[in-house]
């Protein structure tokens, strides 16, 4: 009989994640600084250099050079979802071909459903153009699909007086409204990967500023004596008081467990069965250089100096 996994020591893992995140931030600091430099020019937020004697009279102009390049290249790539291709298990078999076609239709519908109302795929395309890379995080919520609640009950439990057809229809309606797969796009500069000696992805830290209120509601926490602590079960809406602004959100994954933190406080720690960190990094510009800055020198990188020169004319 397999051994039952022990619970995750939140304090121990919290300290480890903080140390790892600090190490990775230092390692990738030059990468992030370069991406910030490009984005300031892209969104025309970098102030042009104006000689002191002309500052009172000069008309400042900021060229949309990088902004326009990113917009046009993104339009050329297109915004349609990828077209899935599933190879039949047996060549020449009509049944295998029918099965592969069914799987292709399912994937096409799944892509649209995962992106419904969120535009994560458009963000992915934009990041490939502007940052030379993007990260997609795939998620599976089995409990939502099964109708399980936080109390361990399931909304799909069959009533004693419920007929077969009535129950089947109710389950179908629940599944239609609760698609279990989801994806989220992350920009390169919040993604900190760890690879082993064989270049296999073994750990991931995602860290950045996020809006406080939705996270506090999701994890049921509030600030108490300077720490994010469980607030207990609430009936009714959660007040946004003392939950305004942004908070540092850290998410850690390895091949077995995940840890999520607000500031430096662990708000969730559990095992997963994904088999690997469910993050997939895509590059639009690939280089053999091991320099973390060279890895993100995309289409806009050569134009940074030119835009600064035009702005200063």
């Amino acid at each position: 009989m397999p051994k039952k996994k022990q619970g995750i020591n939140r304090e121990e893992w919290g300290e480890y994640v903080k140390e790892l995140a600090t190490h990775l931030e230092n390692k990738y600091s030059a990468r992030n600084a370069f991406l910030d430099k490009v984005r300031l020019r892209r969104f025309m937020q970098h102030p042009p250099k104006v000689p002191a004697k002309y500052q009172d009279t000069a008309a400042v102009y900021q060229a949309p050079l990088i902004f326009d390049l990113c917009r046009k290249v993104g339009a050329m790539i297109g915004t349609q979802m990828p077209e899935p291709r599933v190879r039949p298990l047996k060549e020449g078999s009509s049944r295998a071909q029918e099965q592969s076609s069914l799987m292709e239709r399912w994937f096409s519908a799944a892509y649209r459903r995962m992106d419904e109302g969120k535009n994560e795929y458009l963000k992915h395309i934009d990041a490939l153009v502007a940052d030379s890379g993007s990260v997609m995080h795939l998620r599976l919520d089995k409990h939502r699909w099964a109708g399980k609640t936080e109390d361990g009950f399931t909304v799909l439990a069959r009533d004693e007086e419920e007929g077969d057809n009535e129950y089947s229809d109710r389950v179908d309606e629940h599944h239609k409204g609760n698609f279990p797969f989801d994806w989220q796009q992350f920009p390169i500069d919040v993604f900190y990967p760890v690879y082993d000696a064989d270049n296999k992805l073994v750990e991931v830290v995602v860290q950045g500023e996020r809006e406080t209120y939705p996270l506090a509601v999701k994890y049921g926490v509030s600030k108490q004596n300077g720490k994010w602590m469980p607030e207990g079960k609430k009936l009714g809406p959660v007040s946004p008081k003392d939950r305004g602004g942004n908070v540092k959100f850290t998410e850690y994954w390895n091949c077995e467990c995940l840890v999520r933190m607000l500031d430096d406080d662990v708000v969730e720690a559990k095992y997963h069965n994904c088999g690997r960190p469910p993050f997939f990094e895509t590059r639009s510009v690939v280089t053999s250089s091991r320099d973390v800055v060279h890895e993100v020198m995309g289409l806009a990188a050569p134009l940074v100096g030119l835009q600064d020169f035009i702005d200063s004319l």
Side-chain angles (χ1 to χ4, degrees):
M1 185 174 179
K3 280 186 177 181
K4 186 177 180 180
K5 286 183 178 178
Q6 294 181 347
I8 295 175
N9 187 318
R10 288 192 169 208
E11 185 175 346
E12 189 175 300
W13 273 99
E15 288 301 319
Y16 172 72
V17 172
K18 282 191 289 184
E19 290 177 6
L20 180 62
T22 300
H23 164 73
L24 293 173
E25 279 186 313
N26 292 331
K27 176 182 177 180
Y28 289 99
S29 60
R31 175 198 71 177
N32 293 355
F34 181 79
L35 286 172
D36 284 341
K37 180 179 172 182
V38 175
R39 285 180 190 148
L40 284 173
R41 273 77 175 176
R42 177 190 180 189
F43 295 109
M44 295 166 283
Q45 295 175 330
H46 179 70
K49 290 183 179 180
V50 179
K53 62 180 180 179
Y54 296 114
Q55 286 181 357
D56 295 333
T57 57
V60 176
Y61 170 74
Q62 292 180 275
L65 190 63
I66 294 177
F67 175 86
D68 195 48
L69 171 75
C70 293
R71 182 175 61 86
K72 287 180 177 177
V73 174
M76 289 172 63
I77 292 176
T79 56
Q80 289 189 347
M81 296 287 176
E83 295 184 8
R85 290 288 181 267
V86 179
R87 185 175 179 178
L89 292 176
K90 185 178 180 181
E91 295 293 340
S93 168
S94 58
R95 184 174 181 181
Q97 181 61 55
E98 183 180 342
Q99 185 69 20
S100 68
S101 299
L102 182 62
M103 293 175 68
E104 289 173 352
R105 291 197 297 273
W106 187 91
F107 278 117
S108 294
Y111 292 157
R112 292 193 296 271
R113 184 65 182 271
M114 288 192 292
D115 209 53
E116 192 174 37
K118 298 192 301 182
N119 293 322
E120 296 298 309
Y121 186 70
L122 292 180
K123 297 174 189 175
H124 176 66
I125 295 298
D126 178 79
L128 288 176
V129 174
D131 303 336
S132 83
S134 178
V135 178
M136 294 297 277
H137 174 37
L138 300 185
R139 297 179 294 215
L140 170 62
D141 191 343
K142 294 183 292 185
H143 295 298
R144 181 180 174 188
W145 172 258
K148 288 186 177 179
T149 65
E150 293 179 359
D151 300 325
F153 295 101
T154 174
V155 297
L156 296 183
R158 184 170 180 173
D159 296 333
E160 293 181 0
E161 300 178 356
E162 197 169 20
D164 292 343
N165 292 336
E166 186 181 358
Y167 175 68
S168 178
D169 290 343
R170 184 163 67 85
V171 171
D172 286 344
E173 286 301 313
H174 173 83
H175 286 162
K176 288 177 183 177
N178 294 275
F179 192 65
F181 297 99
D182 188 25
W183 63 15
Q184 182 178 7
Q185 186 271 342
F186 286 105
I188 288 287
D189 58 343
V190 303
F191 177 70
Y192 301 92
V194 178
Y195 298 93
D196 66 9
D198 298 318
N199 207 32
K200 176 186 175 184
L201 182 67
V202 291
E203 293 179 290
V204 164
V205 172
V206 176
Q207 183 166 278
E209 295 287 317
R210 298 272 294 274
E211 186 182 354
T212 303
Y213 180 59
L215 292 173
V217 173
K218 178 176 181 178
Y219 298 110
V221 294
S222 63
K223 203 85 166 181
Q224 302 173 29
N225 299 321
K227 294 178 69 69
W228 289 101
M229 303 290 290
E231 195 172 37
K233 201 162 187 66
K234 276 189 165 290
L235 298 176
V238 177
S239 171
K241 185 180 179 182
D242 300 325
R243 296 180 178 88
N246 292 336
V247 64
K248 182 177 75 173
F249 180 69
T250 305
E251 187 168 355
Y252 167 85
W253 290 73
N254 62 24
C255 296
E256 293 186 347
C257 70
L258 68 93
V259 177
R260 294 187 174 105
M261 305 171 68
L262 297 185
D263 291 328
D264 291 328
D265 303 319
V266 176
V267 295
E268 185 178 29
K270 62 183 181 181
Y271 292 102
H272 67 82
N273 58 3
C274 298
R276 54 154 287 171
F279 294 82
F280 300 88
E281 184 179 6
T282 306
R283 294 284 183 177
S284 59
V285 178
V286 179
T287 173
S288 59
S289 171
R290 297 294 188 267
D291 190 298
V292 294
V293 175
H294 296 166
E295 290 178 352
V296 293
M297 292 185 69
L299 298 175
L303 301 179
V304 170
L306 177 59
Q307 178 154 329
D308 286 349
F309 176 74
I310 294 174
D311 289 350
S312 64
L313 291 177

